[in-house]
Amino acid sequence: MALRVAQQMIYTSSVNYMNTTLTQLMESNLQASSQKKINRPSDDPVGMTRVLGYRDNIAAIDQYETNISMAEGWLNLADATMVQVNTVITRVKELAEQAATGTLSAANRSQIASEARQLFKQLIAMGNTEFDGKAIFAGHKTNTQPFTESLWLTTNQPGVVSNAGFTINGFNETTTVVQYLQSGTLTGGSEYRYSTDGGTTWTSGAVSDPGAPNKLQLSLGGVSLELDRGTSVVATSRTNYNDSNGTWMWIRPTAVYKGDDEDRIAVDPLQGIGSTVTGSAQGVFPNNVIVRIDQTGTLASNVSYSYSLDGGITWNLSNSSTPDANPGMASLNIPGGVLTLNSNGGNQLAAGNMFVVRPRKALINFDISPTERIVVNGIGKNIFGGVYKDPASNSARPVVIAGSSGATNLFETVGKLVGFLETNNQAGVQQALADLRSSSQVILNYAADVGARENRMIVASGVLDNLKANQFEQLSVTEDVDISELMTRLAQQQLAYQSVLKSSSMIMNLSLMNYL
């Protein structure tokens, strides 16, 4: 059966063939220019999903590498600072060893004291080291200088004054030594004498009593010393300025820590509890935890409670405590540790009562991999020591590092050494020299810790390099085009398109008029 081929059919078919081959050619040309076989989601929906996942992983790795670079800056500076601190300590030890010998005169020790005081100031400057404008030893208070030079009190008779039993106002660049000329409890008018030049000259004074509840006051030439009422002293000889049987006080340099700490976990009543029930927490809490009492009851009963780790947005419900042997106490298990509720004049709990477990935070962590974080800063008081006023305390006191003796407190040890050097106290210098060994060990321990974290980052960086290379390889397999295959296909499609054009032009020229 003959079939008539209309001119419209020829035209339509020719255009379709041309468009089809041209589309294929243009698609191959796009892949050639981008070097990618997936240029849009429609090219390969599943493949595009994988491509986007690989790109997201690579971007995350890039951020981790940036974090590592930043962390290396913090830790490298801390490492270099510890090396410099150790160099200064070594020099301070040399000066102390010289001054501890009995052959030196007061003038010799005074000369040594001048260098020791400057080294003390240098140590404070190192404690205030900054990276990119941020203090590296201040905890979270990176915009605050962690240490400021100040004055503190040392006595030759332990127990004469407590850490909270005195206040020093003013500042002096030399050590002031104070002696008392009357034994017993200090009162208004009690006589004393003081020297600001190492005992070369002395000035007499009398204790001033401004009236209770104020402290007793001693004016010391630019510096005033306030002592608690009831402070008892032992008199020194009026004619023997070196009488060691009496009470001596040295007002000498120290450094006050102004940064953060991680020493305590506070528990604050948030709603409705007042002060009848108090709380304390033990454990390690990365962030605040809100605990809510769900049912009215007492501490002696099973306490039903919920807790939130995200500020109250979501809650973990239906938790219950086991009654404690003490009816005035209840222990509530929460992520990271235990919240202990204690009776403080009452043990009633009402539904809706809340407590916030609020750990102090000082350490700054950088994410260096999907599963790792590293601390980049330090808590200055746990490294250099000094004097610190705990936010929960009413008074400042010298830092005791890691439960050790006060000998581990570098700033206090060097401050005492300066004071003893400036007042020609050989026995005090010898004790400070012994304490310097313990203080130096704390610095070396921290330097070792910094070095270990630097090495850890080297390993983490190598792991990221391998992970990144693997992600790029998988991305290339999924996304990149095979160049040799593409060139072959491109040549074939180009030939096909040319053939369609040529054959279409030949067919379109055919007409019955050619045969008439």
Side-chain angles (χ1 to χ4, degrees):
M1 174 179 170
L3 191 67
R4 180 176 180 273
V5 179
Q7 198 70 19
Q8 180 65 34
M9 293 176 59
I10 296 174
Y11 175 78
T12 302
S13 297
S14 298
V15 171
N16 287 339
Y17 295 148
M18 283 188 289
N19 287 340
T20 299
T21 54
L22 179 60
T23 299
Q24 294 172 347
L25 179 60
M26 293 304 296
E27 182 65 28
S28 297
N29 189 56
L30 175 60
Q31 292 181 355
S33 63
S34 66
Q35 303 291 295
K36 308 294 182 186
K37 62 184 177 183
I38 302 176
N39 292 289
R40 61 181 73 88
S42 59
D43 292 341
D44 184 352
V46 175
M48 178 57 75
T49 300
R50 295 174 63 191
V51 166
L52 294 177
Y54 292 138
R55 288 177 180 174
D56 185 61
N57 292 340
I58 292 170
I61 293 172
D62 287 339
Q63 184 58 57
Y64 291 134
E65 290 178 334
T66 300
N67 291 353
I68 286 179
S69 178
M70 182 67 71
E72 286 176 340
W74 283 69
L75 293 177
N76 289 344
L77 181 58
D79 192 353
T81 300
M82 290 301 103
V83 172
Q84 295 170 352
V85 168
N86 190 60
T87 300
V88 173
I89 292 176
T90 300
R91 179 55 182 165
V92 171
K93 286 180 182 178
E94 293 174 356
L95 296 177
E97 287 169 354
Q98 294 178 34
T101 61
T103 58
L104 294 186
S105 64
N108 296 143
R109 290 195 178 92
S110 177
Q111 294 162 359
I112 294 174
S114 298
E115 182 177 353
R117 183 174 278 273
Q118 294 304 312
L119 292 175
F120 176 75
K121 292 179 180 292
Q122 184 62 45
L123 287 173
I124 293 178
M126 292 176 181
N128 291 332
T129 298
E130 295 182 352
F131 175 78
D132 196 22
K134 297 177 175 58
I136 65 175
F137 299 122
H140 283 179
K141 295 181 179 179
T142 55
N143 294 326
T144 301
Q145 280 197 342
F147 293 101
T148 57
E149 186 177 355
S150 186
L151 298 176
W152 200 247
L153 183 67
T154 298
T155 67
N156 63 334
Q157 296 173 346
V160 173
V161 292
S162 65
N163 291 319
F166 66 89
T167 304
I168 300 173
N169 298 308
F171 188 78
N172 198 343
E173 285 288 350
T174 59
T175 300
T176 301
V177 61
V178 183
Q179 298 176 351
Y180 296 89
L181 304 179
Q182 294 174 281
S183 295
T185 302
L186 292 177
T187 60
S190 295
E191 296 180 82
Y192 64 89
R193 64 188 175 205
Y194 68 91
S195 175
T196 58
D197 57 7
T200 302
T201 60
W202 293 84
T203 302
S204 298
V207 174
S208 174
D209 185 357
N214 296 312
K215 296 183 178 183
L216 301 175
Q217 297 180 354
L218 287 72
S219 179
L220 307 173
V223 174
S224 66
L225 172 64
E226 298 180 358
L227 297 174
D228 275 353
R229 294 175 180 277
T231 299
S232 183
V233 298
V234 178
T236 56
S237 169
R238 290 181 179 271
T239 58
N240 181 8
Y241 296 103
N242 294 317
D243 176 14
S244 59
N245 293 319
T247 300
W248 289 39
M249 295 183 178
W250 290 267
I251 299 177
R252 42 77 183 177
T254 191
V256 177
Y257 180 65
K258 300 290 188 180
D260 287 327
D261 70 69
E262 291 198 342
D263 295 344
R264 294 177 183 267
I265 302 171
V267 177
D268 301 325
L270 184 63
Q271 179 176 327
I273 197 64
S275 60
T276 59
V277 175
T278 60
S280 61
Q282 298 79 37
V284 178
F285 303 95
N287 295 296
N288 292 354
V289 181
I290 302 177
V291 178
R292 181 185 65 201
I293 305 302
D294 292 337
Q295 293 181 4
T296 298
T298 67
L299 295 176
S301 62
N302 290 341
V303 177
S304 177
Y305 66 97
S306 302
Y307 61 82
S308 173
L309 306 177
D310 54 12
I313 298 175
T314 59
W315 292 86
N316 186 295
L317 308 174
S318 302
N319 302 282
S320 180
S321 70
T322 301
D324 196 272
N326 184 344
M329 178 183 298
S331 297
L332 283 59
N333 292 319
I334 54 179
V338 177
L339 168 64
T340 302
L341 302 180
N342 296 281
S343 172
N344 186 35
N347 69 347
Q348 286 293 128
L349 296 171
N353 290 162
M354 293 186 185
F355 298 86
V356 179
V357 178
R358 182 170 50 82
R360 293 186 191 167
K361 308 302 292 181
L363 297 178
I364 299 173
N365 291 277
F366 281 12
D367 291 329
I368 59 173
S369 80
T371 58
E372 287 185 279
R373 309 185 82 195
I374 195 166
V375 175
V376 299
N377 68 334
I379 302 174
K381 74 179 186 63
N382 296 342
I383 305 168
F384 300 95
V387 173
Y388 178 56
K389 183 180 182 300
D390 190 292
S393 172
N394 293 324
S395 62
R397 59 191 65 238
V399 176
V400 177
I401 299 175
S404 303
S405 67
T408 57
N409 190 320
L410 177 63
F411 284 147
E412 275 287 274
T413 297
V414 179
K416 290 177 183 178
L417 174 63
V418 172
F420 293 142
L421 285 171
E422 292 180 341
T423 55
N424 192 33
N425 187 327
Q426 182 185 353
V429 171
Q430 291 171 342
Q431 182 59 52
L433 175 59
D435 291 347
L436 270 173
R437 298 185 178 94
S438 298
S439 303
S440 176
Q441 189 60 49
V442 173
I443 297 298
L444 293 176
N445 290 344
Y446 183 74
D449 178 67
V450 171
R453 281 181 275 163
E454 288 180 296
N455 290 337
R456 180 183 167 193
M457 283 196 302
I458 293 174
V459 174
S461 180
V463 171
L464 287 179
D465 288 341
N466 292 334
L467 183 59
K468 189 174 183 179
N470 176 266
Q471 293 295 299
F472 269 119
E473 181 179 354
Q474 295 301 318
L475 177 63
S476 177
V477 169
T478 305
E479 183 183 37
D480 291 348
V481 70
D482 186 324
I483 298 298
S484 59
E485 178 186 343
L486 175 63
M487 291 298 102
T488 300
R489 185 170 70 249
L490 190 62
Q492 292 174 341
Q493 291 170 343
Q494 183 178 3
L495 179 60
Y497 182 58
Q498 291 174 346
S499 299
V500 169
L501 290 178
K502 186 173 183 179
S503 61
S504 297
S505 64
M506 293 173 60
I507 293 173
M508 294 298 290
N509 283 331
L510 293 178
S511 171
L512 290 175
M513 299 300 295
N514 295 334
Y515 302 97
L516 294 179

